[in-house]
Structures are given as C-alpha cells and as structure tokens.
C-alpha cells in the first residue's frame, strides 16, 4: 500500500489522513495499520514541535522500511500456509487411496505428496 510520491513528500497513500489525525482507514493490512499509527504519532510530535523535520523524515524512512519488511514477512507466512494446506490435502488424498487399495503405486503417491518427488519402482537388481 505504500505509494512513493516524490513531489509531495508523501510516501503512503494514507499519509494525509494520518497527518490529520484521522481514524485508521478500513481495509489496511496489519503492516499498514501499524505504519499508519506510527505516522499519526510522528505527525503529532512534529506539529507539537517535539521533533524536527529532519528527525521526522528519518523516522518516516524507518517506518517505511519496517512496513515493507513486515509486508514481506506476512507474504512469506501466507505462502508457507498455502503450501502447508496444499501438502496436507495431497497427503490425505494419497493416504486415503492407500487405505482403500494398498498398492505400491498408492504408497508412492504418499511419498510424492510428502516429499514432492516421484519415487520410481525399484530396479530389479536391488531386490
């Protein structure tokens, strides 16, 4: 949700709302909600003359960096969750088939579902 507006100095699409002290806009991700609250506090400090423009600018860069890191981490967690759900669905389907029909092919499907690679039949000389 970050929008890098070079002309205005605004980095986030919701930054003006934060500057005005408005409530958190609906629909923001967890990372953007945290950034919004940090920005709102930053602007309160700046308008109260507790921090300089330079300090505020440096802090805003840190907020942006932290928001981007959290958004990447959240995306990674989502990919891991999707992978895990897909893995267990495939394992359950293969295990169910194996329970119904105990064949080497169905056992191989379980192994393929778990490890993500096919298991070719044993070579004849391996016995």
């Amino acid at each position: 949700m970050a929008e890098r507006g070079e002309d205005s100095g605004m980095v986030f699409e919701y930054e003006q709302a934060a500057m005005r002290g408005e409530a958190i806009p609906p629909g923001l991700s967890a990372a953007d909600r945290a950034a919004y609250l940090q920005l709102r506090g930053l602007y309160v400090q700046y308008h109260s003359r507790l921090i300089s423009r330079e300090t505020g600018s440096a802090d805003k860069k840190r907020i942006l960096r932290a928001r981007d890191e959290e958004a990447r981490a959240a995306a990674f967690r989502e990919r891991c969750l999707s992978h895990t759900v897909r893995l267990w669905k495939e394992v359950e389907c293969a295990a169910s088939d194996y329970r119904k029909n105990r064949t080497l092919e169905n056992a191989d499907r379980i192994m393929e579902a778990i490890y993500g690679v096919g298991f070719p039949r044993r070579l004849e000389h391996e016995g």
Side-chain angles (χ1 to χ4, degrees):
M1 291 271 169
E3 181 181 287
R4 288 147 176 76
E6 296 172 16
D7 296 342
S8 66
M10 295 288 158
V11 176
F12 300 91
E13 64 187 37
Y14 44 77
E15 191 167 344
Q16 285 188 341
M19 189 186 313
R20 292 187 298 266
E22 295 175 8
I24 300 172
L28 295 182
S29 67
D32 281 318
R33 284 192 306 271
Y36 184 87
L37 291 172
Q38 292 168 349
L39 284 171
R40 194 168 65 184
L42 185 67
Y43 279 110
V44 166
Q45 292 176 358
Y46 175 71
H47 292 301
S48 300
R49 301 191 195 299
L50 296 173
I51 60 172
S52 68
R53 183 181 190 97
E54 294 76 26
T55 299
S57 179
D59 285 351
K60 189 161 80 168
K61 288 177 185 174
R62 285 197 246 341
I63 292 168
L64 173 62
R65 200 168 26 253
R67 182 254 170 240
D68 288 347
E69 288 171 8
E70 177 52 35
R72 279 191 299 276
F76 177 73
R77 287 189 300 271
E78 183 62 32
R79 286 191 309 272
C80 287
L81 177 63
S82 294
H83 171 77
T84 301
V85 167
R86 187 177 64 249
L87 170 73
W88 282 108
K89 282 181 180 179
E90 290 175 11
V91 168
E92 177 54 32
C93 184
S96 178
D97 288 346
Y98 182 75
R99 279 191 300 276
K100 293 174 189 171
N101 185 13
R102 294 180 183 266
T103 64
L104 182 57
E105 290 80 16
N106 284 337
D108 286 347
R109 283 190 58 222
I110 292 172
M111 295 301 285
E112 185 172 343
I114 294 170
Y115 295 107
V117 295
F119 284 84
R121 291 187 177 266
R122 282 202 231 166
L123 299 175
E124 297 202 19
H125 69 278
E126 289 180 329

